Amino acid sequence: MIRLASFALAAACAAISLPAAAQFAKPEDAIKYRQSALFVMSQHFGRIGAMANGRIPYDAATAIVNADIVAEMAKFPWAGFAAGTEGGKSKPEVWKEAAKFKEHQDKMIAETGKLAVAAKAGNIDALKAQFGSTAGSCKACHDSFRNQ
C-alpha cells in the first residue's frame, strides 16, 4: 500500500509539475494548475482531519502517507500565481500584497512539514495538535486571499 501511494505521489508530482515547466501557455492553465494542486492537497488533508476529529479510526501508516503527500503538494501551487494569472477563486490581493501572500505560503509549507513529522511520531494527540495548526495556516490564507 505504501509503495503504491509513493508511486502515485511521484506520478502526480511529475504530472503536476509539467505545466509549471512550460510556464503556462495561458493564464487559465495557471489557474487550473494551482487549483488542481490545492485540490489534491485538500483531499489528503481531509483524510488526516477525519482521523484527528474521530470520524474514522486512527491509522498511523495512513496518516503518514497522507501527511507526506500534503507536505509535498504544499510546494506546488505557488508557481500558478505568477503575474498575469489573476482570477479563479483568488482575490486581487494575491498580486497586490505579494509579500504578505508569500508569508502565508511559507507558513503553510512549514506547517505541512511539521504535520508530516507529527504523523511519523505515531501519536494521535501530536497529530491532532499539528492538524489544528496546519488548518489554521490554510484558513488564514483563505481568509485574506481567497474568494469564498
Side-chain angles (χ1 to χ4, degrees):
M1 166 94 176
I2 292 175
R3 179 178 280 162
L4 177 60
S6 297
F7 177 77
L9 173 62
C13 291
I16 288 173
S17 67
L18 288 176
Q23 295 299 308
F24 309 110
K26 301 178 283 192
E28 301 83 41
D29 294 341
I31 293 169
K32 185 176 179 180
Y33 171 84
R34 67 186 183 231
Q35 288 177 341
S36 297
L38 290 164
F39 176 79
V40 170
M41 188 170 56
S42 73
Q43 293 299 298
H44 292 278
F45 191 64
R47 293 173 187 158
I48 298 166
M51 282 186 261
N53 294 317
R55 291 190 311 270
I56 64 171
Y58 171 68
D59 178 283
T62 301
I64 291 168
V65 168
N66 284 284
D68 283 344
I69 292 169
V70 169
E72 195 60 33
M73 291 304 299
K75 301 170 189 173
F76 286 95
W78 317 113
F81 288 99
T85 64
E86 293 83 354
K89 295 179 181 179
S90 302
K91 291 180 179 178
E93 286 78 6
V94 168
W95 294 270
K96 292 177 185 172
E97 300 174 22
K100 183 178 174 187
F101 183 65
K102 175 80 167 109
E103 287 175 24
H104 282 277
Q105 167 188 334
D106 292 344
K107 172 89 171 154
M108 198 221 4
I109 291 170
E111 292 299 323
T112 59
K114 292 176 190 175
L115 183 67
V117 171
K120 289 178 177 102
N123 178 317
I124 185 65
D125 293 326
L127 184 68
K128 284 179 182 180
Q130 188 54 45
F131 177 83
S133 296
T134 305
S137 72
C138 295
K139 182 180 182 324
C141 192
H142 284 196
D143 288 349
S144 298
F145 297 105
R146 182 178 189 235
N147 290 315
Q148 301 306 323

